[in-house]
């Protein structure tokens, strides 16, 4: 079934949806943020939140049930907390739509509507998860409330993969420079704003902490000036994600401060990759995190190579039960 | 005006509210999280989100206006981004309720309904900001939708200050132990779950990063197992906030893992301070962050003293324009 067909069927069966809950863990939680951000900004009636799976399991919203669409996500479809969340949501009567790369997985088997996304084929395929989730949110909004920029959003969904793949060759030398300059750093901070804040969280928590065992933190470029900026001094490593969109002034302000005090700044800017030339202006904001997250895969690979620490190396995950 | 009188008047003037937006910066953003968490869990119709002020200013929700209550917060009432958010929200026709310690401040002057909270009088006074915001959210829910545990919530609001002040003498030696053991650490991680996740963010971002210039990060105890736990090794400093509530199993799981691999763990546990003996079970969850944040002030003072770095010392804030 297409995403449009899925939402059409859900609407026929559940005409009175009040809530759209996005539920996942780790990077597959973070990848749902753009869609949640989109609904907060554009819905007039639909309630929404993004909740890490075990928090959803242990403390679910009181009205979770037939008036809630639950969207779960797990790349391999085996994340136990997310599978449990899908089961629990269905038991309470909510239609569950999952995003996964694994059609036969426990997650797919415990969802009413699995959406299978690519991943390994290319850099843009890795971004199908985020893109299909955003498309799903836009489809839900269009069918339940109406969404005036729906056609533009669908154009953006078509165009974004080409923008990402075109960006990769340009990103590679910049990523290698980042890796050379930061491979021996003990702590690296990552910042983003608006819909891209969770892309910073993904790079910090999963590329740096999880896959490189490098101390890191991420925060909103807006929050930076209310605390973390006190850490800035000459040579302090910061990665700044810059949007081509509404919250760009927040990114620019952070960049000016970091440069003013000679921090070691790595900028990854959606504007450098021509996002605005391809994606309609009305929906451009929501494609920033998709482009930036795609480009950051190259940065992750580059620092892993420079540190001689494969992205697949783990201390605990896949090795023991916890 | 009392909080009840404020919401009664808002309801009379704006009977058709769809949204409750919480807006602030830094610790005054974080302090609004419990109320937002409460509305996500308990409202059936009211939409809600917590947005850092400049993100709200540069990318406001499309339906911000007469159907939105905007709740802003700033201790001193001068935070420029939050004052700008209050002005913008009022220009769009939304009633603005602010929480501040400063009745004559720009924030108070740019809000329709200022709620003045204490701060300097005692440890519990420092928690009036969080408590009054939670009370405000419960009052809004009661008046617009009805809230079955409203009476219990008001009992909790009465009791929590006593619980905090009673906890402080017990917390002091534990805080001094934390300070002794961690004063020379270069990176300290802080974790919490459910309504207390942003208390971890507050301690990490504002006590450690901002006020102590110590590298730090915070995350949900649920997310811990999907990335950051790969950083755990013998002696790695982690502070774990434990709730006496629904998400406690997430905290317990994190504690077991940290102990299993000999991390340097500091536990701050709401159960140790008898939260459940004083606060009605139906609303106990939402008072965990208030108790924990109150107790953590003692931890902040202790590590500042041990590090001979006053909590008021800054590199940039209050010193220059940025």
């Amino acid at each position: 079934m297409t995403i449009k067909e899925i939402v059409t069927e859900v609407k026929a069966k559940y005409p009175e949806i009040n809530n759209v809950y996005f539920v996942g863990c780790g990077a597959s939680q973070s990848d749902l943020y753009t869609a949640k951000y989109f609904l907060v900004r554009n819905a007039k009636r639909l309630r929404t939140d993004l909740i890490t799976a075990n928090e959803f399991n242990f403390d679910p919203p009181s009205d979770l049930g037939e008036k809630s669409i639950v969207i779960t996500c797990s790349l391999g479809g085996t994340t136990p907390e997310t599978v449990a969340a899908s089961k629990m949501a269905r038991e309470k009567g909510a239609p569950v739509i999952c995003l996964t790369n694994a059609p036969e997985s426990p997650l797919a088997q415990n969802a009413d509507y699995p959406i299978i996304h690519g991943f390994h084929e290319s850099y843009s395929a890795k971004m199908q998860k985020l893109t299909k989730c955003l498309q799903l949110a836009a489809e839900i909004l269009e069918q339940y409330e109406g969404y005036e920029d729906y056609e533009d959003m669908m154009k953006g969904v078509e165009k974004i993969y080409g923008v990402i793949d075109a960006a990769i060759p340009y990103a590679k030398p910049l990523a290698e420079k980042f890796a050379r300059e930061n491979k021996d750093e003990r702590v690296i901070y990552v910042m983003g704003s608006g819909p891209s804040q969770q892309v910073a969280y993904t790079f910090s928590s999963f590329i740096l902490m999880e896959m490189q065992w490098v101390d890191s933190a991420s925060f909103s470029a807006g929050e930076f000036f209310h605390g973390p900026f006190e850490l800035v001094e000459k040579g302090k490593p910061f990665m700044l994600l810059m949007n081509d969109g509404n919250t760009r002034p927040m990114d620019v302000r952070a960049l000016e401060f970091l440069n003013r005090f000679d921090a070691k700044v790595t900028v990854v800017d959606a504007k450098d990759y021509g996002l605005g030339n391809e994606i309609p202006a009305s929906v451009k904001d929501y494609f920033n995190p998709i482009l930036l997250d795609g480009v950051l895969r190259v940065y992750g690979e580059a620092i892993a190579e420079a540190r001689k620490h494969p992205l697949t190396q783990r201390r605990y995950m896949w090795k023991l039960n916890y």
Side-chain angles (χ1 to χ4, degrees), chain A residues 64-121:
Chain A
L64 175 63
E66 292 180 352
K67 294 186 172 183
S68 310
I69 293 172
V70 175
I71 298 165
T72 60
C73 181
S74 168
L75 176 62
T78 58
T79 311
E81 300 95 319
T82 310
V83 174
S86 298
K87 287 182 183 172
M88 185 269 283
R90 289 180 81 188
E91 282 162 16
K92 287 181 177 285
V96 175
I97 304 170
C98 80
L99 294 134
T100 181
N101 180 238
E104 305 306 317
S105 63
L107 189 69
Q109 287 161 9
N110 286 285
D112 298 293
Y113 302 97
I115 296 171
I116 309 305
H117 59 76
F119 191 81
H120 303 285
E121 306 84 328

Side-chain angles (χ1 to χ4, degrees), chain A residues 26-45:
Chain A
S28 285
Q29 177 266 125
S30 195
D31 289 348
L32 304 172
Y33 182 75
T34 303
K36 179 261 184 181
Y37 187 97
F38 164 80
L39 281 182
V40 167
R41 292 299 181 290
N42 294 281
K44 295 185 165 38
R45 193 184 56 75

